[in-house]
Amino acid sequence: MDGNDRSIAGFTMTGHALVHWFETSIPIFLVIWLAEFDIGVALLGLVVALGYAPFGLGALPAGILADRFGPKRLVVVCLAGMSLSFLVLATATSIAAIAAGLLLWGIAASIYHPAGLALISTGVEERGTVFAWHGIAGNVGIALGPFVAATLLITLEWQLVAAILAVPGLVAVIYGLSAEFDSTAAVEDDIDAGPDEALSLEELFSNSRTLFASAFAIVFVIVTFEGLYYRGMLTYLPEILHGVPAMDALALPDGLEGIEPADYIYVSLLVIGMAGQYAGGKLTDRVEPARGLVGFFFALAILAVAFVPVTAMGLGAIVVLCGVFGFVLFGIQPFYQNAVAVYTPPDTRGLSYGYTYLGEFGLGAASIAIGGYVLGGFSTATFFLVIAGFALAGTLLSAALAAGLGRFVGADQPLEEGVDD
């Protein structure tokens, strides 16, 4: 990578890690807030939903703003907003203040993915490599957020812990303000991919219509099915692993009572996902995105179906399956991120990634309700079959995209370098 690629990589990796650092630390506070404010689980769940809902729903307006003001400025605003939200939590004395802090976090966090990925897509020459390291950084944040929060809460008050968690974000803001790079270095000189004037409503509809009249329409649905699979599996897999009899076979030393082996298997899955992110990112430099998506989606379908028989084979088989699952689940992400960059014009990249993460985190969150209904009224096997269905739908759509590559791409949306003609 050249100096510009490295600078953008460092900047976006920092932002990606911190988004998930904050995101995954929030659930650690739930048990404490239940006792602190003497409220029911249903009410607290509604309060927490105020934070997570904008995380997905705000992606589209964030993408529009990234095209308008430039992705670097938006990422810095995101980092500042998330840090401020945790400082609000640190001073909270009521459940209303908690709700305000979480709402601020969700709005600020929704900015990152459209802005950060737009920056990589227009500023980085070795896009696949940076997508790989970017994904790894996200997994580092996913694993470290809850670990650090839980460890600090052993000896410190939760308000102080919330304030401490904000510190890396504040440091990142200072770093981001001083970072220098060319955000359009990977775009041809005759193409305008820089900040634009504010879009009128008519222009927004026009640009959106152009996007959805091209191959991006298929990519959007593909990403939505990936989001349904991702959110459903990661939401309910910890609970399912807790109920597996094989977990009782893992004896823990004295003094470690209360630690659940299933939780460590789950965290290990997330850590292995870093390797999947790296491998997937490197493969995007060699494999056309639609073809790669076919293979990864089909593997995810097989893995979902395999969970029921494998959980009856013993602890070793479960550990291996979860490791492979983590690798594949996160390995697919660079492919759909690259697909957006390949099938959209540079000057609407923020809008494109805004729609992408509306599908991934917004529409994809529907699998939480679907999965809860299925697990509540049917068997665990039925749940995994439903989840596998999402992956099979993604497989078929990706195959259609690969088969009709030239036909689906609109005349005003030429293929970018890196796609096989």
Side-chain angles (χ1 to χ4, degrees):
M1 293 190 291
D2 61 24
N4 193 69
D5 281 10
R6 287 194 297 272
S7 183
I8 292 177
F11 178 70
T12 54
M13 286 170 67
T14 300
H16 198 203
L18 285 169
V19 166
H20 293 296
W21 160 277
F22 288 118
E23 176 199 8
T24 55
S25 67
I26 291 172
I28 302 299
F29 291 100
L30 296 188
V31 175
I32 296 174
W33 289 339
L34 282 169
E36 178 84 8
F37 299 106
D38 193 24
I39 60 174
V41 176
L43 177 57
L44 185 58
L46 178 61
V47 168
V48 174
L50 289 174
Y52 283 120
F55 186 34
L57 299 178
L60 178 56
I64 296 170
L65 291 173
D67 284 336
R68 168 66 181 87
F69 295 104
K72 177 188 174 182
R73 187 180 302 176
L74 266 291
V75 171
V76 172
V77 170
C78 167
L79 294 169
M82 292 191 299
S83 303
L84 177 60
S85 71
F86 266 62
L87 293 177
V88 171
L89 291 176
T91 60
T93 57
S94 68
I95 195 62
I98 294 292
L102 292 176
L103 180 61
L104 175 60
W105 176 83
I107 294 171
S110 71
I111 297 172
Y112 177 74
H113 286 91
L117 291 171
L119 175 57
I120 294 173
S121 71
T122 59
V124 171
E125 296 289 349
E126 294 188 41
R127 196 164 56 204
T129 298
V130 174
F131 273 140
W133 285 108
H134 178 265
I136 290 171
N139 278 66
V140 170
I142 288 172
L144 282 183
F147 175 80
V148 171
T151 302
L152 292 176
L153 284 168
I154 295 174
T155 57
L156 301 176
E157 294 293 327
W158 70 266
Q159 293 94 337
L160 180 57
V161 173
I164 293 173
L165 291 175
V167 172
L170 296 173
V171 173
V173 170
I174 298 172
Y175 159 62
L177 290 172
S178 63
E180 294 184 0
F181 45 75
D182 181 356
S183 62
T184 60
V187 178
E188 297 294 335
D189 293 338
D190 59 344
I191 297 177
D192 180 15
D196 256 329
E197 294 299 321
L199 282 178
S200 67
L201 191 60
E202 182 180 354
E203 289 171 325
L204 173 60
F205 281 123
S206 175
N207 288 351
S208 298
R209 186 167 57 249
T210 299
L211 282 176
F212 283 96
S214 72
F216 177 74
I218 300 175
V219 175
F220 174 78
V221 181
I222 288 171
V223 172
T224 298
F225 275 111
E226 194 280 337
L228 289 166
Y229 185 102
Y230 174 91
R231 189 60 71 189
M233 283 292 279
L234 290 191
T235 297
Y236 293 107
L237 188 57
E239 179 182 351
I240 291 171
L241 290 176
H242 275 266
V244 173
M247 293 299 160
D248 298 333
L250 187 60
L252 296 175
D254 293 339
L256 295 182
E257 293 84 358
I259 294 177
E260 295 287 348
D263 292 338
Y264 281 88
I265 292 176
Y266 181 71
V267 171
S268 298
L269 175 162
L270 300 176
V271 173
I272 292 172
M274 298 179 196
Q277 288 271 13
Y278 182 79
K282 297 299 286 186
L283 283 173
T284 61
D285 289 331
R286 298 173 174 83
V287 180
E288 189 271 314
R291 295 190 182 102
L293 286 168
V294 171
F296 273 94
F297 266 121
F298 187 67
L300 288 173
I302 293 175
L303 288 168
V305 174
F307 263 95
V308 172
V310 169
T311 51
M313 296 180 184
L315 186 61
I318 295 171
V319 170
V320 172
L321 177 63
C322 286
V324 175
F325 170 71
F327 184 92
V328 177
L329 180 66
F330 289 97
I332 195 175
Q333 293 183 359
F335 275 94
Y336 71 71
Q337 291 166 353
N338 195 41
V340 176
V342 166
Y343 297 119
T344 61
D347 58 348
T348 60
R349 203 56 59 71
L351 179 64
S352 303
Y353 280 113
Y355 277 119
T356 297
Y357 282 91
L358 172 64
E360 168 77 7
F361 292 132
L363 301 181
S367 63
I368 298 176
I370 295 170
Y373 172 78
V374 172
L375 287 171
F378 301 91
S379 65
T380 301
T382 303
F383 167 80
F384 283 118
L385 286 175
V386 171
I387 294 294
F390 296 145
L392 285 176
T395 304
L396 294 175
L397 287 167
S398 299
L401 184 63
L405 185 61
R407 184 168 66 254
F408 285 129
V409 178
D412 58 343
Q413 294 188 322
L415 292 175
E416 292 186 9
E417 182 181 353
V419 182
D420 298 332
D421 292 321

